[in-house]
Amino acid sequence: MKNILFVCTGNSARSIIGESIINHKYKDKYKGFSAGSNPSGKVNEDVKNFLFTKSFDVSNYTSKNFTKFINDEIKMDYVITVCNNANNEVCPIWPKDQMIIHWDIEDPVKRLNETDDLSKKNSIVEQTFNEIDKRIKDLLNEK
């Protein structure tokens, strides 16, 4: 079993999506985790609702600081940062020597906060989900 940690700034959307995809689609070979450098303290409700529609149980998922994993006994085989350099988002620095991978993925939270339309919200989350899902599939097919 290999461990994959998804790290972003707020740990409320992208990293949660990555963690949930691993734990639901690839749980026979991988265990997913997520964390943030400046966690929001909660999982984004729109992301949580979208994942529930996919039958992904994220009720126990939390927004947490990545320092928990730096000092933890769990060895990470991969650390994947999912932050967006194009929007001047500062990616967390991971101090350990695990295989670090960077995916430049736009944070959907700002766009989610700009609309009350449920259909638009689902579309925004679905775009992010599909991008992360594809990147995970590509990564794991290389291994």
Side-chain angles (χ1 to χ4, degrees), residues 110-122:
K110 182 179 183 221
R111 290 177 44 219
L112 289 169
N113 290 338
E114 293 173 348
T115 183
D116 290 326
D117 184 299
L118 185 58
S119 176
K120 285 182 184 176
K121 285 180 179 279
N122 282 334

Side-chain angles (χ1 to χ4, degrees), residues 4-23 32-40 42-44 47 51 58 61-66 69 80-83 89 92 103 105-109 128 132 136:
I4 301 175
L5 175 64
F6 293 88
V7 180
C8 67
T9 308
N11 189 216
S12 69
R14 295 164 292 182
S15 53
I16 296 289
I17 291 170
E19 176 184 15
S20 67
I21 290 170
I22 291 295
N23 290 335
F33 301 88
S34 70
S37 59
N38 186 21
S40 68
K42 64 178 187 164
V43 176
N44 179 280
V47 169
L51 293 171
V58 295
Y61 285 37
T62 61
S63 174
K64 61 213 150 294
N65 195 290
F66 71 70
F69 294 98
I80 301 173
T81 58
V82 288
C83 32
E89 188 176 1
W103 294 342
I105 298 174
E106 182 181 358
D107 188 355
V109 173
T128 304
I132 294 170
I136 288 172

